[in-house]
Amino acid sequence: MMKLLKIFFQLSIAILLLSCNQNTSEENKPTVYLVGDSTVKNGRGDGSGGLWGWGDYIGQFLDTSKVEVENHALGGTSSRTFQTKGLWKPVKNSLQKGDYVLIQFGHNDSGPINDDFRARGTIKGTGDESEEIDNMLTGKHETVHSYGWYIRKVIKDAKEKGAIPLVMSPIPRNDWNNGNVPRNKNSYGGWAKKVAEEENVTFIDLNEKMASEMEEIGEKNVTGTFFYERDHTHTSAKGAVLAATLVAEGIQESENSLNSYLLENPQIKLPAKKDVYIIGDSTVASNNDTLVGWGVPIDRYFDTTRVNVYNKARGGRSSRTFRGEGLWQAVLDSLDEGDFLLIQFGHNDGGHIDKPKYRGSLKGMGDETQTVEFSEDSTEVVHTYGWYMKKYIDEAEEKGATPIVLSMIPRNIWHGDKVERNDDSYAKWAKEAVEEAGGYFVDLNDSIASRYEDMGRQKVKEFFPKDHTHTNLEGAELNALVVAKSLNQLKGSGIRDYIFIPKNQSKKGQENKK
């Protein structure tokens, strides 16, 4: 009995010691804190609008089994307002000996020192000069210091807590001058370096590193991949990864102890892309070199770094036959939660129901059916156009996808100076399908007809080389632009976040007005 008690006692001591060692290990696990502006963390750090900061990815370069990463950067802040808004204080209070603080400010420090909009500017340079103001934005009296003064304060506060600061120069903007990216060595980058050297802390010239990489890649390849054309300051996911890669490189090149936590072969994961599927007939599909549907050029208006666009439309199909031939099932099997489905049918639904090509659907929105008997002793139960459209909507929503119904594009049929609509038939029923089943609706029939009327009959005639239904590439491009603009106005659907219309496209077609 005594022997059993002795073994039990020894086991208890061993378990207690193991527990203490584990707790000590967890307690000693350092944290890497990031402070900065939107180029370090954009928005909530969830990639809204496709914009990311390098701080959202730096953790993928570090061994997070040995070190924690906390990104406290906030968009719109300067070295001054990050402190005056109280954002630095909780970070400072959390710091433990052996923690790290990565610091990057400068993009917003050049703004006005005192205004009623942002009041975030700092005095240029690294000196001790200051300016007394009654802050027009906050209503408080404030002493404003230099950029260098604020950076120096963060460094000193961190050191007082036993933490290890690292200072970065601000990433470059996507501005170009004869193939070169301007540096900020004579402003915020240079001032950040000066303060870091004076305080004897690690400095990473992120501005120079990234500008050099951008020049090697080239302006044409940088814009649209690492930065968006619409924004020269904030990076895409790939741009953020590039910046994070260079931060990690700078850490590795330094004598800073943080380099011991760098992964030897980091596996970088970019955000998963969503999928946009398009189903429809030949006015949407890729047909041949002469006849082109709007689904062919539509991908130029999507952010394809964040979404894949799959045009599954097929010429000659109706809402009925796209299902009957198994084309819809293949799309449905591929749909995932968060994807989008664009649906446009109608051109072929008015065909024969019980004669070759057997593609017509019953008119309207009802539940009536017609049984069609084929020569090989098989039958098909045919439903209304509205029934088929609602089935597409219901089944897409069951998969967690967002269905968007577009009324069919108008034919090149005119009555006087007006293009013929089908707003008493298929366009009407398409809208009613959405009203009854859910999803979103785009009145493409009316919006394109209106654009045709602005351009005039003679110009529009050039878009239809064979008949009054199918467009050439130029017509498809115009229609795709109308689709993109319509989707960009579709509130609540989520798809507008992935649409981008270049400035030179925003007024396309206006020059062809009558």
Side-chain angles (χ1 to χ4, degrees):
M1 184 69 178
M2 290 297 293
K3 186 176 181 181
L4 286 174
L5 287 173
K6 185 177 180 181
I7 293 172
F8 176 76
F9 178 74
Q10 289 174 336
L11 284 172
S12 299
I13 293 295
I15 292 170
L16 181 62
L17 288 172
L18 179 61
S19 176
C20 289
N21 287 336
Q22 287 177 336
N23 290 336
T24 301
S25 177
E26 288 298 316
E27 289 174 1
N28 291 337
K29 189 176 181 181
T31 299
V32 178
Y33 292 92
L34 280 64
V35 298
D37 53 38
S38 56
T39 63
V40 184
K41 182 171 77 174
N42 191 275
R44 297 179 180 177
D46 58 1
S48 178
L51 303 176
W52 297 86
W54 60 259
D56 298 315
Y57 291 94
I58 192 64
Q60 296 189 33
F61 293 85
L62 297 167
D63 185 348
T64 52
S65 69
K66 298 178 180 179
V67 66
E68 300 282 353
V69 180
E70 291 189 16
N71 190 355
H72 289 263
L74 181 66
T77 59
S78 65
S79 63
R80 164 192 168 192
T81 56
F82 194 85
Q83 299 185 50
T84 59
K85 288 177 179 289
L87 300 170
W88 168 239
K89 186 176 180 179
V91 177
K92 177 185 173 183
N93 291 343
S94 299
L95 290 175
Q96 302 289 327
K97 185 177 180 180
D99 287 342
Y100 299 88
V101 184
L102 275 58
I103 309 161
Q104 186 217 273
F105 289 101
H107 280 287
N108 301 316
D109 280 76
S110 61
I113 288 175
N114 196 11
D115 62 9
D116 59 0
F117 181 48
R118 286 174 172 164
R120 62 187 182 183
T122 54
I123 297 172
K124 298 182 186 304
T126 63
D128 292 327
E129 59 269 35
S130 61
E131 181 178 336
E132 301 282 332
I133 67 167
D134 291 316
N135 194 309
M136 297 167 63
L137 182 64
T138 66
K140 297 178 180 179
H141 186 76
E142 182 184 352
T143 302
V144 180
H145 302 275
S146 71
Y147 168 79
W149 186 93
Y150 290 105
I151 298 295
R152 189 177 287 110
K153 183 177 183 299
V154 173
I155 293 172
K156 289 183 175 180
D157 287 349
K159 283 183 173 180
E160 286 176 3
K161 298 296 292 287
I164 304 165
L166 298 84
V167 178
M168 264 66 61
S169 53
I171 70 168
R173 288 183 167 91
N174 189 33
D175 292 326
W176 294 78
N177 184 6
N178 295 322
N180 296 314
V181 177
R183 273 58 163 179
N184 55 29
K185 289 181 178 179
N186 296 321
S187 58
Y188 297 99
W191 299 332
K193 180 180 181 181
K194 185 173 186 294
V195 172
E197 289 175 344
E198 290 173 351
E199 297 298 324
N200 195 29
V201 299
T202 299
F203 173 72
I204 298 173
D205 197 347
L206 182 56
N207 183 266
E208 173 61 36
K209 283 178 172 291
M210 190 162 175
S212 296
E213 286 291 326
M214 289 165 64
E215 289 170 352
E216 187 171 334
I217 296 168
E219 181 177 2
K220 183 178 179 181
N221 294 323
V222 166
T223 304
T225 301
F226 300 96
F227 289 84
Y228 295 108
E229 186 177 338
R230 65 181 183 271
D231 191 324
H232 68 170
T233 301
H234 304 98
T235 50
S236 66
K238 289 184 177 180
V241 168
L242 173 62
T245 302
L246 298 172
V247 171
E249 180 183 274
I251 294 170
Q252 187 177 43
E253 293 170 348
S254 75
E255 296 180 357
N256 195 289
S257 58
L258 184 57
N259 60 27
S260 66
Y261 298 101
L262 289 171
L263 294 170
E264 186 173 344
N265 295 300
Q267 302 298 310
I268 307 305
K269 294 182 180 179
L270 289 167
K273 288 186 178 183
K274 295 183 183 297
D275 292 330
V276 178
Y277 287 92
I278 308 172
I279 62 174
D281 53 39
S282 56
T283 63
V284 186
S286 175
N287 303 301
N288 53 51
D289 293 339
T290 303
L291 305 180
V292 183
W294 60 258
V296 175
I298 191 65
D299 61 349
R300 70 181 60 173
Y301 300 111
F302 278 96
D303 178 1
T304 53
T305 67
R306 300 166 60 215
V307 295
N308 301 304
V309 181
Y310 299 106
N311 184 5
K312 298 297 183 178
R314 189 78 63 88
R317 273 58 180 185
S318 64
S319 65
R320 164 193 171 186
T321 57
F322 197 86
R323 294 182 67 87
E325 294 177 18
L327 299 172
W328 167 239
Q329 189 62 49
V331 173
L332 184 61
D333 290 342
S334 300
L335 280 178
D336 288 319
E337 185 172 354
D339 290 344
F340 299 92
L341 175 69
L342 307 186
I343 312 164
Q344 185 214 278
F345 288 106
H347 281 287
N348 300 314
D349 280 80
H352 293 295
I353 294 174
D354 53 0
K355 297 179 182 178
K357 307 173 181 175
Y358 299 104
R359 61 187 183 183
S361 58
L362 299 178
K363 299 184 185 302
M365 294 292 299
D367 291 327
E368 59 269 29
T369 62
Q370 177 178 332
T371 300
V372 177
E373 297 183 359
F374 300 103
S375 57
E376 58 271 22
D377 297 328
S378 63
T379 62
E380 178 188 2
V381 177
V382 180
H383 300 269
T384 64
Y385 171 81
W387 185 92
Y388 290 112
M389 297 298 280
K390 287 188 288 185
K391 287 290 284 184
Y392 290 125
I393 293 170
D394 288 341
E395 291 170 359
E397 288 185 331
E398 286 175 4
K399 295 294 291 285
T402 300
I404 301 172
V405 174
L406 304 97
S407 55
M408 55 189 253
I409 69 168
R411 292 182 169 91
N412 186 32
I413 299 175
W414 296 70
H415 302 285
D417 58 355
K418 293 293 183 182
V419 176
E420 180 178 282
R421 267 77 160 171
N422 55 42
D423 48 15
D424 59 348
S425 58
Y426 294 102
K428 174 177 176 287
W429 300 329
K431 183 178 181 181
E432 289 176 350
V434 170
E435 291 172 347
E436 294 182 19
Y440 296 85
F441 176 69
V442 172
D443 194 350
L444 195 56
N445 185 259
D446 183 67
S447 56
I448 291 180
S450 296
R451 179 61 66 89
Y452 286 172
E453 289 164 358
D454 287 341
M455 301 174 74
R457 185 182 298 201
Q458 287 304 117
K459 177 60 183 175
V460 172
K461 184 179 180 181
E462 299 174 10
F463 298 155
F464 294 86
K466 182 180 178 181
D467 52 36
H468 57 32
T469 302
H470 302 95
T471 59
N472 57 17
L473 178 59
E474 186 180 4
E477 289 173 340
L478 174 67
N479 293 342
L481 177 59
V482 175
V483 171
K485 287 185 174 182
S486 299
L487 295 176
N488 198 40
Q489 298 298 317
L490 203 57
K491 295 180 180 180
S493 68
I495 199 168
R496 62 190 301 188
D497 189 39
Y498 301 95
I499 297 289
F500 172 58
I501 301 173
K503 292 179 181 178
N504 64 348
Q505 294 287 302
S506 61
K507 295 183 179 180
K508 186 176 180 180
Q510 296 301 311
E511 69 278 5
N512 294 317
K513 283 187 177 182
K514 291 186 290 183

